[in-house]
Each structure stands twice: as structure tokens, then as C-alpha cells.
Amino acid sequence: VKALKYHGGANVKELANEDLAALERGMENLKRHLSNMQDKFNLPCVVAINHFDQDTDAETDLVKTTVESFGAKAIVAKHWAEGGAGAEALAQEVIAMLDEPTSECQFLYQDDDSLLDKITAVATKIYGAKDVAIDKKVLAKLAKFSETHSHTPVCMAKTPYSFSGDATQLGAVSGHTITVRDVRLSRGAEFVVALCGDIMTMPGLPKVPAAERIDISEDGEISGLF
């Protein structure tokens, strides 16, 4: 819910407050994700609402009804607080969906498509981009990888906060240009990584690790996780 409100323009410091207007605007982001799974990959979907204490009933109800209008179902999951029991309803919904007849999954590109065409397919079909920008040096590396690994899939490394390569472009941005600043070959895993925009790949560690604020009492109560 907080993530959707953020995509709807809510201030980061205000995300814990109920804001149905921002949530409704932010649902365009979820709609794009659902459309990608349902229309591009031909897959049935269930949406898990990762519930936290600040999320209000009005907000979760809005997500449920809006998701239904998108042709899917949303289930509240409280596993962070209740463990497995908090995700049981979600699990039951997934099981029920798996028992229903479905069409075969489809893919964005074929194995024999060029690496550049595969990158372009993801950028345009999933991210809603109009174009992909790659300079000559990167294209040369891509051509070299193609000599032995043209059959491999591509892995797009980009910000998770936007459909573009710019984390500040929220919602369901479209018509943008995805800039591929470098490509890497994961030879053993057999895929090509396209580095898009300003993104740090693993291992990316914070200056202050989360472990410094986590503690456990003599009674075994853990604090500092949230």
C-alpha cells in the first residue's frame, strides 16, 4: 500500500497516513504489472497485499476492488506479523488458481532473436519504452557476446522504483528511452545482463548494515527488524 501511494505522488514522510487519492493514482503502476503478466506472458495472477499496521481497511479495500476491475484478485497477507497463518488465505487462492485450466505461457522473444532484439523487446513491451539507447562500445560488446551466446536470455538490471531507468519517474511511465550503459556476460548461468541507468549490482551493501539495529532479548524477543 505504501509503495502504491508513493507511485501516486505521496510524500515519503507521509506514507504511513491514509491517502486514498494517492493510492488510487498509484494503482496505475500495479495495473501495468498485472497487464504485463496477464497480457504479455498470458499468465493468471493473484495480488498479495503485503499488509502492515499503518495500512487502513479503506486502503486495502480500495486495492481489492481496483484489482478486481483489472481482472485479478487481491488477498491481504499478514505473514510478517502472523507467520504462515497470515499467508494461508493467499496460499489457498494460489492453489485454487492452479487447479483451473489455463492457457500456455507465452514469451516476449524467441531464443534465436538477436540479443539487441531481446533487450528491445523487454524495454518496449514490459517497460513501455519507445526506444533503447546503446552507444557503440556497448554494441560492440553485445556483438562479441553474440558470437557464442546469442541464444541466451537477457537480464535487465535497472532501478526497481520505475518502469524507466530513472527512479524518479513513478507510476506507469511510458514513451521514454531506456539507456543501456553496459552489458555483461554471465557465462556459467548463460544469460546476458543489460545494465540500465544508474544501478548498483550485487553485492551492494549499505554503509550501516541492518544488523546493527537488530537485537534479541534474554526472553528471545527480537527487536529492530521493522
Side-chain angles (χ1 to χ4, degrees), residues 79-101:
H79 47 283
W80 76 270
E82 301 173 7
E88 185 174 347
L90 174 64
Q92 293 294 347
E93 180 63 28
V94 172
I95 291 171
M97 185 167 35
L98 292 174
D99 288 337
E100 297 177 0

Side-chain angles (χ1 to χ4, degrees), residues 56-121:
T56 68
D57 290 342
E59 289 176 327
T60 55
D61 286 345
L62 177 58
V63 175
K64 287 180 181 179
T65 55
T66 308
V67 167
E68 286 181 5
S69 73
F70 297 159
K73 190 172 183 178
I75 305 294
V76 175
K78 298 184 178 181
H79 47 283
W80 76 270
E82 301 173 7
E88 185 174 347
L90 174 64
Q92 293 294 347
E93 180 63 28
V94 172
I95 291 171
M97 185 167 35
L98 292 174
D99 288 337
E100 297 177 0
T102 59
S103 302
E104 186 175 352
C105 173
Q106 62 190 25
F107 299 98
L108 294 180
Y109 52 75
Q110 302 300 314
D111 289 345
D112 56 1
D113 289 346
S114 71
L115 292 176
L116 179 58
D117 284 346
K118 292 173 183 177
I119 291 172
T120 302

Side-chain angles (χ1 to χ4, degrees), residues 4 16 36 51 54-55 68 75 86 93 95 101 110 113 117 126 129 138 140 155 165 177-178 184 193 201 209:
L4 292 172
N36 285 341
H51 184 273
Q54 299 93 340
D55 301 340
E68 286 181 5
I75 305 294
E93 180 63 28
I95 291 171
Q110 302 300 314
D113 289 346
D117 284 346
I126 298 299
V138 179
C155 173
T177 297
I178 293 286
R184 298 175 184 171
V193 181
T201 56

